[in-house]
Amino acid sequence: MSIGGVDTPVTTASTHTPLRIGIVGLGYIGSYVGDQFNRHPDAEVAAVCDLDAVRLASVGDQFVVDDAHRYESYTAMLEDAPLDAVLVGTPHTLHYEQVVAALDRGLHVYCDKPLTTDLKRARDLADRSEAGEEVLMVGYQRHLQTAFWTARDRFAPESEDGTDPTWLTASITQGWIEDSADTWRLDPDLSGGGFLYDTGSHVLDGVLWSTGLEPESVRASMDFHDDDQRIDRRAHLDVRFANGATGTFSFLGDAPAVREHIHVWDDEGAVYLEGKQWRSRRVFEIDTESAEYHPYIDPRRERSRADAFLESVMEGREPPATARDALAVTALTEAAYASARRGERIPVEL
């Protein structure tokens, strides 16, 4: 049962045949979200895939997957394992090929963010998902957080108090460069970019989804970690939106702590979202007299990513974060990188 975008907790008993999940990529996302599926009464981890033999054995044991369904090749897993859905938790630039392969086999897909780092491929996946019957959910978990639902309700066109945002600021900090040392995240052929395409992607998505704003153009500046200017460590975006609103985004990937701050202003005041580390965000409403109101937030009632995906599959409805949502993020991100390298304002090609 959903109330204001927040569902009541999933019960421990199941009346459904468990959905058979195959996991491609057993790093953090594959293991963390995979464990949500493994513990869920409506799901079963039926196969796992990773190039790292040690990780494959360890996670395979953790999820009690028999040796015959542990694979080093995702194509072999798709051909051989009896599956209903696939979790894609691989490096960013590999997502497209793996998502397409799963969809072509009629499988539902949960894919980590960003869905893809190529605009043409992002459009293709958005079109595929809307034309097909399979669920394609993207790992933008802010769509499951009550704080962002509160902001979305304020700006929804159908809302009784619906208003248009006029100006916004958003920022996030993290010790991302240090955290990513010696990993694929600092290899642009696998990551597709730097801090903006990784943690920053969540902030872009959270703002665009909760406000309904469509980015029209962007002027960006970046400090790069590499000589080829592909891995950004700091990024600043000045965005113009189709409704006339403007906004700034700042991303600092070599900070000592994780903090997120978002202010969205309209004619009635503002919504302010903030949080630290990876905990659920808090939300405040600011009125025209600068008074603050604190809507009640109970993060214990927020759905997990596995909950949301399984509900979408079993009920045949659109997932919380769609390929169309992801397309908007990719379009803005690609335009921002182009702007930073050229030193000029770039249109966002949605």
Side-chain angles (χ1 to χ4, degrees):
M1 179 69 67
S2 179
I3 302 174
V6 181
D7 284 40
T8 55
V10 176
T11 60
T12 56
S14 173
T15 59
H16 302 277
T17 301
L19 202 75
R20 298 166 298 181
I21 310 288
I23 305 175
V24 184
L26 302 177
Y28 173 73
I29 291 297
S31 299
Y32 179 76
V33 181
D35 189 56
Q36 293 179 4
F37 285 116
N38 186 53
R39 295 171 181 271
H40 202 289
D42 290 324
E44 171 195 0
V45 178
V48 290
C49 174
D50 199 282
L51 294 174
D52 187 314
V54 173
R55 186 182 296 161
L56 185 62
S58 174
V59 179
D61 289 345
Q62 178 187 349
F63 295 161
V64 196
V65 177
D66 61 80
D67 291 343
H69 292 119
R70 303 180 186 186
Y71 303 87
E72 293 184 358
S73 163
Y74 79 91
T75 54
M77 184 186 80
L78 294 181
E79 291 172 359
D80 178 64
L83 300 174
D84 303 301
V86 173
L87 186 167
V88 176
T90 53
H92 305 159
T93 60
L94 306 182
H95 290 175
Y96 176 79
E97 179 181 286
Q98 293 164 352
V99 170
V100 168
L103 291 176
D104 284 347
R105 287 188 170 272
L107 303 177
H108 305 288
V109 179
Y110 174 96
C111 182
D112 188 31
K113 60 78 199 154
L115 180 58
T116 178
T117 58
D118 177 273
L119 186 52
K120 182 178 179 181
R121 289 180 166 186
R123 289 199 189 99
D124 178 59
L125 288 177
D127 292 341
R128 279 175 182 261
S129 67
E130 292 170 354
E133 297 182 357
E134 297 79 19
V135 168
L136 172 54
M137 177 175 164
V138 187
Y140 286 122
Q141 67 264 33
R142 281 158 176 75
H143 295 224
L144 303 174
Q145 294 185 357
T146 312
F148 282 86
W149 267 103
T150 300
R152 184 173 169 85
D153 287 344
R154 179 186 180 108
F155 300 116
E158 65 274 13
S159 171
E160 182 177 327
D161 300 320
T163 59
D164 284 334
T166 57
W167 185 73
L168 66 89
T169 62
S171 67
I172 195 165
T173 60
Q174 182 186 355
W176 184 82
I177 292 293
E178 182 177 350
D179 294 343
S180 301
D182 301 320
T183 73
W184 60 264
R185 296 182 189 278
L186 296 185
D187 179 351
D189 290 334
L190 293 175
S191 64
F195 187 51
L196 176 60
Y197 243 140
D198 199 51
T199 303
S201 183
H202 281 298
V203 178
L204 292 182
D205 167 74
V207 169
L208 296 181
W209 176 75
S210 61
T211 63
L213 289 170
E214 295 184 7
E216 196 170 68
S217 67
V218 59
R219 176 68 185 256
S221 63
M222 296 182 183
D223 294 337
F224 290 94
H225 179 69
D226 61 328
D227 293 337
D228 293 332
Q229 297 190 343
R230 298 177 69 188
I231 301 292
D232 58 287
R233 63 192 304 147
R234 307 183 186 199
H236 303 277
L237 281 58
D238 180 344
V239 181
R240 294 175 184 166
F241 298 96
N243 76 331
T246 58
T248 59
F249 295 81
S250 295
F251 306 96
L252 175 58
D254 51 6
V258 177
R259 296 301 297 256
E260 181 175 3
H261 302 275
I262 298 171
H263 280 90
V264 183
W265 291 85
D266 58 23
D267 293 336
E268 304 298 323
V271 172
Y272 171 46
L273 301 108
E274 66 90 23
K276 57 187 177 181
Q277 299 305 113
W278 310 120
R279 302 169 189 168
S280 292
R281 296 332 192 201
R282 299 192 299 167
V283 60
F284 309 91
E285 294 181 345
I286 304 170
D287 68 15
T288 55
E289 302 299 323
S290 198
E292 287 187 1
Y293 303 89
H294 302 225
Y296 174 70
I297 297 296
D298 185 357
R300 294 172 300 176
R301 298 185 65 195
E302 294 177 351
R303 293 174 295 170
S304 73
R305 283 170 269 188
D307 288 338
F309 178 75
L310 291 167
E311 288 169 14
S312 296
V313 171
M314 292 186 294
E315 297 176 14
R317 56 185 170 90
E318 184 175 272
T322 68
R324 188 66 59 181
D325 295 324
L327 168 60
V329 178
T330 297
L332 178 52
T333 305
E334 287 293 284
Y337 279 117
S339 174
R341 294 176 183 125
R342 298 183 199 173
E344 60 188 48
R345 181 168 289 276
I346 297 292
V348 178
E349 301 177 3
L350 282 176

